[in-house]
Structures are given as structure tokens and as C-alpha cells.
Amino acid sequence: MGQKVNPIGFRTGIMLGWKSRWYASKKEFSDLLIEDHKIRKFVHQKYKFAGIPKVEIERTRDEVKVILFAARPGVIIGRKGQEVEQLQDELQALVGRRINIKIEEVSRPELQAQLVAEDIAEQLSKRSSFRRTMKRSLEQTMEAGAKGIKVQLAGRLGGAEMARREKQIAGSIPLSTLRAKIDYGFVEAKTAQGHIGVQVWINQGMYEDEIDGADAQEGQAQKKPKRSYKR
């Protein structure tokens, strides 16, 4: 049977870079890994509504650089950057190292699978119809310029006694094509009847498209014949 592998883990090291970039000896590795997990968990819990699809971490010997990608950076920055300073102090207290925070804005949140999944989960928690919510997300993402999207919900949908799965697909989702830029997001919606798992796959196009576009322009410039004018 075909096994479903996480599309981000599948492409890491081939098409995608790592989310944590640092090197450590065997002795320190496990502690630093747990530290990374604590930082991510803390940031996601504190800024649930800032729309943070991913947190990247880089380390040098004496400091930890935390890069936050946010759909609403204003929520994290706060007035005159007060919130950032507070977050910096809290993270330093959490891990006991010097922290350097960098915030980057996510230009199109509709194309980030994690943010789409969080939005669906929020709607389900507010007791809205799951079919309508799925359909709306599919339409919004396709309008934003995605090549394809797949949404799968699993659990007691609509408060049913029996748990089940529902799936909706729009466009194409080539999961086994490594060149395809596929983003994946997962979140659990907490409803009164129980948790509902929300999975989202978004096809953002091919990785080559960006490179090929530049190469094609260069090639066309070279192909233009040189005109020689004779008098």
C-alpha cells in the first residue's frame, strides 16, 4: 500500500533547506533539539493569531537567531517594538541563551498550508459547517494562484457518532514529484464532540519555474541575431 510521507520532510535536503540550521556534538545535540522545540512551541502558543506558518532557528556559539515568518507581523512587533523586546526576554529566560529575533512577513497567507489549516480549524471550532468551510478554503487558495489544493478532515464531523474522513481536492497535487513545490499543514480543531484533524496540501508550482524563467530570458537575449548594416 502507498504510505503517505510528510511532503516537507520528503523534500528537505533535496529541494528545501532545514528549519533548524546549526551543528552540535553528540553530547549537546539532544538538549539543543529540545530547546528548539520549546522555542517553537512557546511562539506558536503565545501568538496563535499572528499567523505563523514556520519558525527557523540558527545558532552560533553564543547566540540563537530566531526567524519568525508571520502573516500579521504587527501582532508580534507591537507598539514601538515593545512586544518583540518582551518576547526576546521571555525566550532568553526559557532557554538561558542570548536570543536575536528577526520577523519576516508572509506575503500571501492563502498559499501557506499551515495557515489555511489553522483557519479551517478555527471555523470548525466555531461550529460552522465543515463542507462549506472546506469549499471556501479551496476557492480562496485557487484564486490566490495555487496550482492545486487538497484538504482532508478526520474525526467526528458534524458531531456524528462515528468518526470518518472527508476529502476535497481542486487542481493537481503531484505528491511524489520532488520538483513540485508542495506545502503541508496539519492542525487539530478542538470541538465539543472531540478533536478533528485538519490536513492541507498546497501545490505552489514547480521549483524550476523561478530558475527557468531567468534562464529563458537570458537564452532569448543570446538568440537575437546581430544585424549588420551595409552601406
Side-chain angles (χ1 to χ4, degrees), residues 76-146:
I76 305 169
I77 296 164
R79 282 189 184 168
K80 297 176 185 172
Q82 285 174 328
E83 284 280 326
V84 176
E85 286 169 19
Q86 193 188 333
L87 176 63
Q88 200 165 351
D89 294 339
E90 284 170 352
L91 287 177
Q92 278 169 353
L94 184 73
V95 298
R97 294 174 200 272
R98 197 165 84 228
I99 301 267
N100 178 9
I101 295 173
K102 188 183 174 191
I103 298 165
E104 292 200 13
E105 190 176 357
V106 173
S107 53
R108 283 187 293 176
E110 301 88 14
L111 294 182
Q112 296 293 325
Q114 186 63 35
L115 298 183
V116 172
E118 281 172 17
D119 180 50
I120 293 170
E122 198 183 324
Q123 296 299 320
L124 292 177
S125 302
K126 289 177 183 170
R127 302 196 174 189
S128 68
S129 157
F130 71 91
R131 278 202 186 90
R132 202 181 309 131
T133 306
M134 284 167 90
K135 195 170 177 225
R136 203 198 68 197
S137 294
L138 257 67
E139 285 167 2
Q140 280 181 346
T141 304
M142 291 305 282
E143 277 169 23

